[in-house]
Every structure is written in C-alpha cells, then in structure tokens.
Amino acid sequence: MAIDPICGMTVDERTAISAERDGETFYFCSEHCRRRFLAGEEGQPHGEHHAPDLVTFAAPPPPAPTGKIIYTCPMHPEIEQDRPGFCPKCGMALEPKTATAEADESEVAAATDMTRRFGVAAALSVPLLVLAMLPMLGIPLHDWLSARAARWLELALATPVVLWAGWPLLVRGWRSLVSRNLNMFTLIAIGVMAAYSYSALAVLFPQAIPAAFKHHGQPEVYFEAAAAIVALVLLGQVLELRARQRTGGAIRELLALSPQTARIVRDGQDTVVPLAHVHVGDTLKVLPGERVPVDGVVVSGRSAVDESMLTGESIPVVKAPGDEVIGGTVNQTGAFVMRAERVGAETVLAHIVSMVAEAQRSRVPIQRLADVVASWFVPAVLLVAVVTFIAWALWSPLEPRMASALVNAVAVLIIACPCALGLATPMSIMVAIGRGAREGVLVKNAAVLEIMEKVDTIIVDKTGTLTEGRPRLTECVPDGGYHENELLRLAASVEQNSEHPIGRAIVEAARERGLALSDVQEFQSVTGGGVLGIVDGKTILVGTPDFLREQGARSNEALVERAAELQREGRTVVFAAIDGNVAGVLAVADPVRSSTPEAIAALHRLGLTILMMTGDNERTANAVARQLGIDRVEAGVKPDEKFRRVEALRAAGHVVAMVGDGINDAPALAAADVGIAMGTGTDVAIQSADVTLVKGDLRGVVRALQLSRKTMRNIRQNLFFAFIYNLLGVPIAAGVLVPIFGTSALLNPMIAAAAMSFSSVSVIGNALRLRATTLS
C-alpha cells in the first residue's frame, strides 16, 4: 500500500495510477491527483477551502472528457475504453467508471439484448430436447417423423440458438483464443462448436461418418447438447447483468439525496435556483424540512439537523453559527442561513458516491475458479484432440481413416464439453441463494458466497445493527415527591408536541403504560435545550440541565448523581421540572436487540473476530460492547474513516465482512470483502451491500456464513463431478484402450455425450442437497 501525496488516501500499488519524479515512484487514487502532482500542487487541499472536520474524503475521479463514459473491467482495471463491451482478458462485461444519476443506457441495452437471446435459446431448446429425448424414453417418434427429417429439424432449431443467440459467447471464446487468455468462454465456445459442428456434418454429409459410429444406419447428432449449453450460459449472463443494474441502484439512491434546487439569498431576496447554479461563497437559506443543498457553514440562525445519513444516529445535531453542515442532511426544527463551502463533486455526498462506485468495481467474480481450471484444462483437451486426430489418421484400423480420425477427435471434444462445468457453480449458487432466502438471508451476487467462506473479521455498526435503531425510555427516576407514572405522564404531555426522537420515546413509553396524556398550553420548543408548557395548571420543563437552570429550575444532588450513573451506562438523560423544581430524570437508550447476544456468541464459536465500529460516543459504545462481549471497539468513527478502516484491514491481510444499516455505512459496506445490510435499514445500505438480512436479525450473519461454507464445499464437489467423467473419458475417447481391447473399446460420440450428461445429472443432484441443509 502507498499514500497518495495529493489527497493522503491509502492506495494499492498494484492497481493505482503511478508517476515518477527524481527516480522515485508515487501512487495516486485518480488521474485528477496525478495531474495535480505533476503540476507541482502536492500538499495543497482540494478546492478553494479546506474540508470540514466532520468528514474528509479524497477527491473522486474527474468526469470523462467531452461527456464520454469510460468503461473498465472489475478484474482488470487497466482495461479501459470509451464504449461498452467485454474484457479481452476474462470476457466479463465492462462497467462504467463514472457514477451517474440515471441508469446506464448501455447496461440496460445489454441486459435487454441478452434477455432476448436467452428467450430465443430457451424457446428453441425445449422442442430440441424433446426431439432428442423421446426415442430414449421409448416413445416411437420415428413412426411419425422419419429419422432424416428429425435430424434436419434439429439442425433448423439448433442453428439460430448456436449462431445467433450464442454469438456473443462464441465471440468471447474466439477472442480468448486469439489473445491467449483462456477462460470459461473458451471452454463454452469449444464445447458448443464441437457438438454443433460434428452434428451439422452428420446431417449435411452423413456419408463421411463411418458405419461403426452409426445407429441403425444413421449417424448420431448432438444438437441438443450444444443448444442446452448456450441457453444455460445465457441465463447466467442475464442474471449477472440484472445484478449489475441493482448495484447501480445504490449510486442512484445516493445521488437522489442531494436536492435539485437551493434557496439562494441575493440582495436580501430568496431565490430558488437549480443546484448547479450554486457556487462557493454563495449565501443560502435552509427552511425546516428541507435538505441542506451543499456543504457549508451556518452564518445565522439555529436548528437541529438530522445527520443520520452520515453518522447513523437518529438524534438530530444542534447547529449554530460557525457550525458545519453537510449537503443531503435534513433540517428539522428551525431555519438558518449558511455559506456554501464545497459544491458539486467536492461535497461529502459526492465523495461517498465516488467511494461506493470504486468499491463496487473491485468485486471479484466467482467465475475465476472455473477460469483457473480452464487455463490448463483447455490446452490439454485441445492437445489430446489434435494428437488423437493425427494418430487415427495415420494408424486407424477403420476405413476411411480421416473420417474415423475426425469422429474420435470430436468424441474427445464432446466428452470435454463444459456443460457440467457451466452448471457446477451456478446450480449450487441458485440452490444456495434460494435456501438462504427461506432463512431471511438475501445474497446479491454469487461471488459473495465464495468470499464469505474466508471471512475472519466481522465489523458491526451499533445503531440499528446491534441495537433496535429506535430510542426507547429505559428509566424514569422521580424525586421522592412524585410517583413514576405521574412524572412520566406530565413529561409525555408536554413532549407530545415535539418531533424530537427523545420526546417521541417518552410519549411512546407513556402510551405503552396506558397513561392518559393531558393537553399542553403555551408550548415552547428551544432547539438544543428542551421543551416547556403548562399541563394541568403546572409548568413543566423537560430538557438538558443547562436548559432547566436557564429557566430557573432548582435541582438536588441525588438526582444529579443518578443521572451521572445512567450516563456512564450509555444512556441519554433529560431532566424534568415541575413548577420550578426538578422532579426527576428520564433516561433514553437504544436497546440491544434480543437476538444480538446469541448471534455474537455464535460468531465467536465460528472463530471470528468482532469489531464494533460506530459513530456514537465512546461511553455508549463501550457500554454496549461490555454487555455483548465484543472483541474490539472503535467509537466516534466518521463515514470516511469506516471506509478507510475497512481498506486498512483488508490491506493487512484480513478478509472483512461489514454489517450495517445506515447511509453512513454504504461506502464501508461496498468496500468490505462482504457487505451485509440489515433489512430494516436504509435502501442505500441495502443496495450497497452484498447480503441483506431481511428480518434485521444479526443471527442471519451466522446463517450466511454457514451457508457460504456449505455452498463452497458443494461447489468443489460439483467441480469434481464435472471433471471426473472427462478425465476418465478423454483417454478412452482418444483410443488408449484400443491396443488392449480392440476397436470395441472406442468411445462412441453418443456414449461421450451420455457421460457428459451423466456428469451434469450428478452436479444437479448434488447441488439440490443444499435445499435440505441445516442453518442454525
């Protein structure tokens, strides 16, 4: 890892942009930083103003020149082009580097095109399979349709499947051969074309097929195998493209948090202008209920701002002149005037979008396992097929020699056809994802199950993850002169007109106890202080100690000490006064979910290290950690720090799973090896994550980990089944047993296809076992 000299961001030397100066190599997070470095601007802050203390981000990549979108490969970031397409190295679809508020038209077009191709392939493959299977089931198809006519019909059905629907797959396979980057598409193209070409030859030139390889005087054809492979692979491509579109939805949800307009103050007049017209230094007014348009500083006015999109905490933060506000956060109780400090791509929200987009592009697809196998399997099969053809052409005991050489070479290719390999991973994944869904564990993409198996560190947010995410009244401690329920009733009566989360918690607690609330008169709300009003003829104050002192209320040492004890336990405490005397304290906290202790214990049994990373204060965080037995705690962590902390753990060699529920968790969820979102959280967190726990239950993390380990074991078993028949059948198809047993030991292409089919059946049957697996 290295440090970007411009923005200070930690970058991976293997994938970062670099430049040299005075014989030393420097690494950068983006071309923007590299250009500034070459211009001698290192050490200077981005933009015209320093970033606020609340959040500091590295600058996002600059927009592509002339409005063009640059596409890159997640597996090979050095591959870049200005149009959509496929990676020449691995065959994956290229992804746009630039985040946009609208869905990428090329992605939509690619998904539509692939869906159309799959529909045609599936529609034509079904009757093709019926034609091929009926005679095997003892149904007298040839009583109604001659064998020759049936073969011509199969050719007519298979040709558009292979040569039109499967054309993108064949192109990728051809490119892999030309560029010598053998991958899954190499196997697919060879297998499909071997089965299709041999079958087409058998239909068009049946006399070229030796009699020894004919059934009732007719050569066997394997159109159904070629068509089935194409249809299955296209289905996988459709699912992959749809998953990519859902991933892009997280970016669009984030961008939607930024308002489209701003209320600019010029010459004493408020004018609503498009957000793009706001510049650094402009004076803006923000009314109650509006989103803060850009990052800046409060000039006048006071208000409470909901910053849960950044901190994950539900309690609003009081803002006064001189305080910083962040674009996208929601103003709640009062109006204020602010000065714009950072706009456009320099805002915190824009940087969060950039980080999520970058982290999402870093995903590693599960297909690499098959590609590793293909890197040696494909050359070996091709070599065996060539050697087989030459050997039989020179020394075949059957005539004509060239025809028998061709048949045996094709038999080698057919038995090596990657039908089972194409099913080995997808079948396990589809069954596993369905099994997980029954347990409330939704997996966004297949790669997650592979990566999750290796996770050794779990990072959990506190609010909404370990806790319920909704403040509740935990204690109501009255002074000796009042009953607990009476104190709660009076406090709730005055709080019922307040929108503050603490006030709502007090009101909900009173209603749960069945207390009848009274009307409040002369209600006042003091931002950052508390509320006051007259209830049943009594003057009621509820708020902070400073607020009560300002109103002239008298307290006592016993209540102050009790409040301090509750605060040490991580509670948020407010005081209540009646007619000028403090009558008690009320403590509000976000309760730990009832299922959390069980889940933490189960994660420890799985050998995982648990790190709680929260934007909450250290006192509350440590109290929760002690209660649950969490290994490590990091409190007061800002969104960019979560993101960078995840990256640092990964750079240190840890495989990290991040569990969160807030918008503030979105960059870290996307940056982690596995992002896990609580289903009760925000849409952005859910879309940024790889796994969603529908029930909002942390025990779902345990189920997801168990599902991952069992799925990967099942996939390895499937790969064994996918190859064992090939490894045994290829030598037989090549004729190695002929010197011992004669030509009767030859593997007829029909038998080769049967072996290939049996391997597929084995793979499917083994994958289906996952449906009955137990997840605790």
Side-chain angles (χ1 to χ4, degrees):
M1 306 299 289
I3 303 297
D4 188 322
I6 294 296
C7 65
M9 183 175 179
T10 301
V11 296
D12 190 334
E13 294 181 2
R14 295 170 297 180
T15 58
I17 302 169
S18 64
E20 291 191 4
R21 176 186 289 178
D22 300 329
E24 185 178 357
T25 302
F26 297 86
Y27 298 89
F28 308 90
C29 69
S30 67
E31 183 63 29
H32 178 70
C33 286
R34 181 176 179 272
R35 285 200 302 268
R36 294 190 58 192
F37 175 83
L38 294 176
E41 300 180 25
E42 61 267 33
Q44 299 181 20
H46 289 288
E48 297 182 24
H49 297 268
H50 289 274
D53 292 335
L54 179 62
V55 187
T56 304
F57 291 97
T66 66
K68 289 185 178 179
I69 298 177
I70 301 300
Y71 294 83
T72 186
C73 174
M75 288 286 288
H76 304 94
E78 69 276 10
I79 302 297
E80 292 187 358
Q81 63 185 46
D82 60 359
R83 63 189 183 281
F86 302 101
C87 176
K89 291 188 175 181
C90 64
M92 286 187 63
L94 300 180
E95 298 182 0
K97 294 182 67 174
T98 307
T100 60
E102 301 297 329
D104 182 31
E105 292 182 3
S106 64
E107 284 190 4
V108 175
T112 302
D113 177 66
M114 202 63 74
T115 302
R116 182 166 54 247
R117 291 178 186 272
F118 167 69
V120 171
L124 297 180
S125 294
V126 170
L128 190 56
L129 289 170
V130 170
L131 284 172
M133 297 300 295
L134 286 180
M136 297 181 184
L137 298 174
I139 299 175
L141 171 66
H142 298 313
D143 289 350
W144 316 315
L145 188 66
S146 71
R148 180 178 176 79
R151 283 167 173 75
W152 278 98
L153 180 57
E154 290 183 35
L155 174 62
L157 291 170
T159 298
V161 174
V162 174
L163 299 185
W164 180 79
W167 184 250
L169 311 178
L170 301 179
V171 169
R172 285 188 241 181
W174 172 252
R175 288 178 179 173
S176 71
L177 289 171
V178 172
S179 63
R180 290 180 289 185
N181 291 296
L182 303 183
N183 53 52
M184 179 69 181
F185 293 101
T186 315
L187 291 173
I188 293 168
I190 291 175
V192 168
M193 290 310 297
Y196 175 79
S197 299
Y198 170 78
S199 301
L201 178 68
V203 173
L204 298 173
F205 305 102
Q207 67 277 7
I209 306 301
F213 292 94
K214 293 182 178 179
H215 187 65
H216 297 304
Q218 294 292 332
E220 295 295 329
V221 292
Y222 311 98
F223 291 116
E224 77 283 355
I229 294 170
V230 169
L232 289 170
V233 175
L234 287 175
L235 174 60
Q237 293 295 297
V238 169
L239 296 177
E240 177 189 336
L241 289 169
R242 289 182 179 176
R244 284 178 55 199
Q245 287 181 305
R246 289 194 301 271
T247 300
I251 302 291
R252 291 186 286 275
E253 288 286 344
L254 282 170
L255 291 172
L257 294 175
S258 180
Q260 300 301 307
T261 60
R263 195 180 304 275
I264 195 167
V265 181
R266 290 175 180 164
D267 300 326
Q269 299 293 322
D270 297 355
T271 305
V272 177
V273 300
L275 192 65
H277 292 179
V278 177
H279 303 286
V280 173
D282 283 346
T283 301
L284 309 174
K285 179 180 284 187
V286 184
L287 301 180
E290 293 183 344
R291 287 190 180 272
V292 178
V294 296
D295 298 357
V297 175
V298 176
V299 175
S300 63
R302 292 174 63 91
S303 184
V305 176
D306 179 2
E307 294 185 339
S308 59
M309 63 162 275
L310 288 173
T311 64
E313 304 306 317
S314 56
I315 298 177
V317 179
V318 176
K319 298 294 181 180
D323 290 337
E324 296 155 349
V325 287
I326 301 300
T329 56
V330 181
N331 182 31
Q332 289 201 328
T333 56
F336 61 87
V337 176
M338 61 174 285
R339 182 179 65 252
E341 295 286 341
R342 288 180 314 285
V343 301
E346 295 298 321
T347 64
V348 168
L349 185 58
H351 291 313
I352 291 178
V353 170
S354 174
M355 288 190 299
V356 172
E358 180 183 353
Q360 287 176 340
R361 287 198 304 270
S362 68
R363 289 288 180 253
V364 180
I366 201 169
Q367 285 87 351
R368 72 180 189 274
L369 186 60
D371 287 345
V372 169
V373 176
S375 65
W376 58 265
F377 183 72
V378 174
V381 170
L382 291 174
L383 180 61
V384 171
V386 170
V387 170
T388 299
F389 182 86
I390 294 173
W392 281 88
L394 294 177
W395 301 296
S396 173
L398 300 175
E399 294 294 342
R401 287 185 177 181
M402 291 301 294
S404 61
L406 178 62
V407 168
N408 286 308
V410 168
V412 169
L413 291 175
I414 287 179
I415 200 166
C417 179
C419 184
L421 178 61
L423 287 172
T425 296
M427 276 302 302
S428 294
I429 292 299
M430 285 189 289
V431 176
I433 289 176
R435 180 69 182 90
R438 283 162 47 196
E439 298 290 338
V441 178
L442 299 184
V443 179
K444 180 178 289 187
N445 62 67
V448 177
L449 294 174
E450 179 186 9
I451 300 170
M452 194 179 296
E453 181 193 31
K454 304 169 186 175
V455 166
D456 57 25
T457 303
I458 297 282
I459 299 177
V460 293
D461 183 37
K462 180 185 74 67
T463 305
T465 302
L466 300 176
T467 65
E468 294 180 0
R470 187 163 60 94
R472 292 185 180 180
L473 184 75
T474 56
E475 284 88 12
C476 180
V477 183
D479 186 74
Y482 291 92
H483 187 273
E484 178 180 336
N485 281 352
E486 179 64 10
L487 174 65
L488 178 58
R489 187 187 72 82
L490 292 172
S493 295
V494 72
E495 286 282 13
Q496 64 185 322
N497 287 352
S498 171
E499 292 298 322
H500 197 284
I502 291 179
R504 290 197 297 268
I506 293 172
V507 172
E508 288 177 7
R511 287 173 176 165
E512 287 174 359
R513 297 189 186 187
L515 303 179
L517 304 185
S518 300
D519 294 333
V520 59
Q521 299 174 347
E522 300 182 21
F523 173 81
Q524 296 181 42
S525 175
V526 179
T527 301
V531 296
L532 60 90
I534 297 176
V535 179
D536 296 340
K538 301 181 178 67
T539 300
I540 310 298
L541 305 173
V542 180
T544 65
D546 290 342
F547 171 68
L548 266 65
R549 279 195 295 270
E550 291 172 0
Q551 299 297 324
R554 296 178 295 277
S555 183
N556 63 68
E557 287 299 321
L559 285 177
V560 171
E561 291 179 3
R562 179 56 179 150
E565 291 176 3
L566 293 170
Q567 289 172 334
R568 283 192 291 271
E569 295 173 2
R571 306 288 196 271
T572 298
V573 177
V574 294
F575 287 75
I578 302 176
D579 289 334
N581 294 307
V582 175
V585 295
L586 299 99
V588 173
D590 192 1
V592 171
R593 294 178 186 268
S594 59
S595 60
T596 298
E598 177 188 344
I600 295 295
L603 291 172
H604 278 139
R605 286 195 297 270
L606 291 175
L608 301 174
T609 299
I610 304 173
L611 168 62
M612 182 171 75
M613 197 177 295
T614 177
D616 207 347
N617 66 78
E618 186 173 359
R619 182 175 55 198
T620 302
N622 285 328
V624 173
R626 284 193 302 270
Q627 178 183 348
L628 296 174
I630 290 174
D631 301 313
R632 294 165 54 195
V633 177
E634 293 187 16
V637 181
K638 300 168 187 174
D640 64 320
E641 292 172 348
K642 286 187 179 183
F643 174 83
R644 291 171 181 165
R645 184 58 181 148
V646 168
E647 287 195 324
L649 285 169
R650 293 182 64 193
H654 294 285
V655 181
V656 180
M658 170 74 190
V659 187
D661 74 321
I663 293 173
N664 64 301
D665 299 320
L669 286 168
D673 294 287
V674 179
I676 304 175
M678 309 297 281
T680 51
T682 64
D683 290 341
V684 172
I686 292 171
Q687 292 184 19
S688 297
D690 304 297
V691 178
T692 300
L693 308 181
V694 176
K695 301 176 183 177
D697 188 339
L698 197 61
R699 289 174 297 187
V701 177
V702 180
R703 298 187 187 100
L705 289 166
Q706 292 175 335
L707 182 67
S708 167
R709 297 179 182 186
K710 293 182 178 181
T711 301
M712 290 312 299
R713 184 166 61 246
N714 190 269
I715 287 175
R716 294 187 185 101
Q717 293 167 350
N718 281 352
L719 290 174
F720 170 80
F721 287 127
F723 282 107
I724 187 63
Y725 303 104
N726 304 71
L727 295 176
L728 294 177
V730 165
I732 299 174
V736 296
L737 298 181
V738 170
I740 302 173
F741 301 103
T743 56
S744 60
L746 280 174
L747 189 62
N748 189 300
M750 182 174 63
I751 303 300
M756 180 188 67
S757 301
F758 187 65
S759 66
S760 300
V761 171
S762 301
V763 163
I764 294 171
N766 187 58
L768 290 176
R769 293 192 305 111
L770 284 172
R771 292 194 302 181
T773 190
T774 302
L775 301 177
S776 58

